[in-house]
Amino acid sequence: MKFLVSAVLISLISFIACLYLPWWSIAVVSLLVAIVFPQKPLWSFFAGFFALFILWTILAFIISSSNNHILAHRMSLVILKNDSPFVLMLGTGLIGALVAGFAALAGSFVRITNKASDG
Amino acid sequence: MKILSFFIASLITVFLIVLFNTNLIFPAPLGKLLSPQHGVWQNAEPVDADFNASLQIPGLKSSTRVYLDDRLVPHIFAEQDNDALFVQGYLHAKFRLWQMEFQTHAAAGRLSEVLGDSKNGRDVLNGADRLFRRLGLGYAAERALKEADKDPEVKLHMDAYTAGVNAYIKSLRLSQIPLEYKLLGYTPELWTNLKSCLLLKYMAFDLAGRENDFEATNARTIFNMEDFNALFPMVQDTLDPIIPRSTVYPKPGIVVKPPSSVDLLYLNKDRATNIVADKPDRDNGSNNWAVNGKKTISGSPILCNDPHLSLNLPALWFEMQIKTPTQNAYGISLPGAPYIIIGFNDSCAFGVTNAGRDVRDYYQVKFKDKSRQQYWYNGQWVNTEFRYERIAIKNKRDFIDTVAYTVFGPVMYDRKYNGGRVADGNEYAVRWKAHDPGNEFKTFNRLNKAKNYKDYYAAIQNYYTPGQNFAYASKRGTIAMWAQGQFPAKWKRQGDFIMPGTDSSYLWQGNIPQEENPHMVNPERNFVSSANQFPADSSYPYYLGSSFTPYRGLIINRLLNGMNNISVKNMMSMQTNNYNVFAELARPLFLKYVEAGSLNTYEQNYLSKLKEWNLRSDSKETGPTVFELAWNNLEKAVWRDDFEQTTMKTVWPDESTLLEGLLRDSLYKFADDKTTPQKESISDVFTLSFKKAVVELRKLEREGRLEWAKYKDTRINHLLGIPAFGRMHLPVGGGSHIINATKTAHGPSWRMIVHLSTRTEAYGVYPGGQSGNPGSRFYDSFVDTWAAGKYYPLFVMDEKDIKNEKIKWEMRFSNK
């Protein structure tokens, strides 16, 4: 449950943050959400990872579809040297996922308690 | 808290952010670029994008509406000229911002700022930026701006245009800037009137920047004057000049005399230089013609124009209509500059071809010492002026280039700069007509509003550089052609070689009086035309210099002379005509001199292909490829041995020179190969070179590239050369010396046909699209139509057409 809530929050708040802030604000968002919703490290990592993987891939897909993938065809040739619009979308998702994942992981190691931390 | 784990995870996160946000590890900041809300995805324009808009602009005098049609061509309806130009600036920026700025950066010598000092193996700093700075493009633009500022109307227009561009730039959010800015990692700058002038001077370089003075000077070290004149003649046999041969020219208003030292110090002087000069494309030219009502089926004139330039995306031109109480002009405009440049209005149509003339000459300057503070001129030491060109380089320290300015102009080539090779220690100042201030903008302003011949004639008075052949046709039935520009009056061969620069005796002695520029109005033959051939025959009392290609002019005049009851469809066929008149004249030589007896089966086969070819360079024909390679190899066989007698850079004679030399004189002395002991005859040269051609042809055939369009491989490159942003492998015929002048990356950048009937009927197409955004469906939407030789009907919109199904979007500009 915590996993789902933190993942959804990371997605939502990242989206809002990116309306006004640079792209790497997703790291700050993931870090903070992971601190507020402490989980085992691996769960935190995946919450951040999947939150942004899904957000960015889906955003890219929606944008690209409206564009009939005109740009995705061209940009994938430039970046991947291959005409693979969908790989480009997945690559987009992967980049966001990695950054958010590790930021969330970092957050999972922060414990705001007086007890000795566990595992 | 597990501090160590926290730090490691944080470190990895920061590392990833740096990895994806900078060019330190990957060549591009992939996070920035691919973030859906910031990067290139934001430039993926929806195919059903809504261009409707309502904009509040405090500076506007009144409200202006723009209607965008289904090809994204804007139709501006304004109550004031200034507002129309403001909106033109806004629209140019909205659709072509990156291109506008990039092209003016090129003109200003600021490419290193955004590309670095070298890119893709090209030396940007020395091959582009320093070149243009030293040629004085910036200097010329500054002078043009001062001149434009003196004209109150033009100044207001330029201010409005600039304000419009900036209004758009200021409204841009970072995530909305054009794609190329994101890829290169910079952001747009505000526009200035100077930038519009820079664009104008960039066009001047493209069209009036061509010369071969260094190459010719080097050639004089291996050929005596008699041979030189044979190789680089001042006249052509096949010439059908723009103004017909029978024309009688008035006595010249300015009589020029060469200086007394001309034979010793200039014509017969043996010098060589190591300068390698960068030049605009030889074929930067165009076709235009106008036929009057006596030759058309409708009784109304038709004007046609197709300017030939490098084919690029985003396209050079932007199509639009501007309607105000003083004008209703439709045509193509240059993003970065106001007005319509080629087009028509309710009364007349106007089009241009390049009137290439040698207006760029060099003078060898003698400085007192290494400091270059003074140079010798007219018997005394004169003070040099220095201009410090600060060139910013991406990721590196600024480069400061000190350019010496003399009475002639900037010292373009010197010890510190020679265009890229080892310097010969001499100093050469360049005198370029484009440095002289003119008010070319005024010309276009007035042409857009012209109602009759008088207006057209008044409009072109301000036009100095680059010289253009202005074609004109009106609904009243007048047709006219003026080879217009401010041209220096030169004595024979003046400026063909580098001139002595120690006194004033070699300076240009004056300008050809404007009324003596070649022209014709309502000629007896009922048509006017120009295709970059000599504007006049040798009875014209001024030296024209430069080299002019006669063949397109020849075929255009031949066709027009023979046509009557002309329709628009006839003009479309003519403008896309692939007939190769050069091949018509040259082929008989191959059939005569190639010794069929000494050819093997393959070679005989290709010779047959050449013989049976219908002389049309259509895409699927193989004849044009055979001819092209046969001719190229013939040229090499004739010229290479002669010109390689020097290691200095030279330029080979024109094709017309070789062709006419061979047609005239079968003992053509240059046929002999100097590197072989025996004396080759014409037959030997033709046969040997044809065999060499066959080797190449066989290779092409094996690779499936023997068909003309496959061999030529016409393409439209993106300005940055990114293949994925260009259009490659276009199935187009045509080529040099052909009306459809489409080469590999150069050709008709616009095709226009205007029928001046009571209600104007016009057609046009350019190889590009209205949007400069590679992510837009309007980026290259016209390319296929252009490649197929088809046209769009040009929709000249009226108030009542608002409900027309062609109109898709409306933009309202108001001041509240």
Side-chain angles (χ1 to χ4, degrees), chain A residues 42-109:
Chain A
L42 207 58
W43 283 100
S44 278
F45 176 84
F46 280 119
F49 187 93
F50 283 118
L52 260 302
F53 184 79
I54 291 180
L55 177 67
W56 275 23
T57 305
I58 290 186
L59 275 179
F61 178 76
I62 292 176
I63 291 174
S64 195
S65 297
S66 307
N67 174 241
N68 279 3
H69 308 300
I70 295 172
L71 187 62
H73 281 294
R74 294 190 195 268
M75 280 311 299
S76 62
L77 277 167
V78 177
I79 294 181
L80 303 170
K81 307 279 191 257
N82 224 312
D83 185 1
S84 334
F86 295 102
V87 174
L88 190 68
M89 291 175 217
L90 291 173
T92 298
L94 188 62
I95 290 174
L98 284 172
V99 173
F102 279 100
L105 180 66
S108 75
F109 293 121

Side-chain angles (χ1 to χ4, degrees), chain A residues 15 18-19 21-23 56 59-60 63-64 66-67 70-71 74 77-78 89 92 95 98 102-103 106 109-110 117 119, chain B residues 1-2 5-6 9-10 12-13 16 20-21 32 34-38 40-41 44-47 722 724 774-775 779-780:
Chain A
F15 179 81
C18 281
L19 291 172
L21 300 169
W23 71 275
W56 275 23
L59 275 179
I63 291 174
S64 195
S66 307
N67 174 241
I70 295 172
L71 187 62
R74 294 190 195 268
L77 277 167
V78 177
M89 291 175 217
T92 298
I95 290 174
L98 284 172
F102 279 100
F109 293 121
V110 175
S117 50
Chain B
M1 170 151 168
K2 298 193 110 181
S5 305
F6 171 76
S10 301
I12 296 176
T13 310
L16 284 170
F20 292 132
N21 202 48
K32 235 193 216 172
L34 291 175
S35 163
Q37 292 171 269
H38 302 91
V40 302
W41 291 111
E45 188 183 273
V47 292
I722 302 173
Y779 177 65
D780 58 351

Side-chain angles (χ1 to χ4, degrees), chain B residues 572-573 576 731-732 740 751 765 783-791:
Chain B
M572 288 181 180
S573 298
T576 54
V732 189
N740 173 16
R751 287 195 182 112
V765 67
V783 172
D784 292 330
T785 305
W786 172 90
K790 297 203 165 54
Y791 296 75

Side-chain angles (χ1 to χ4, degrees), chain B residues 692-709:
Chain B
K692 283 218 173 90
V694 169
V695 172
E696 288 180 60
L697 287 166
R698 289 195 67 190
K699 182 161 183 287
L700 285 172
E701 188 157 19
R702 270 196 309 270
E703 292 168 1
R705 293 203 299 131
L706 193 64
E707 280 179 10
W708 181 235

Side-chain angles (χ1 to χ4, degrees), chain B residues 241-244 247-250 357 453 456-457 460-461 468-471 479-485 487 512-523 525 527-530 534-536 540:
Chain B
I242 295 176
I243 309 305
T247 310
V248 175
Y249 294 101
R357 206 87 56 104
Y453 177 80
Y456 152 83
Y457 184 70
I460 62 180
Q461 298 306 307
Q468 298 291 300
N469 301 307
F470 283 86
I479 58 172
M481 175 80 68
W482 273 84
Q484 180 60 8
F487 301 111
I512 297 177
Q514 189 276 325
E515 59 275 12
E516 291 179 39
N517 280 337
H519 59 277
M520 60 180 150
V521 186
N522 289 327
R525 65 182 188 179
F527 72 86
V528 299
S529 81
S530 72
F534 274 101
Y540 186 66

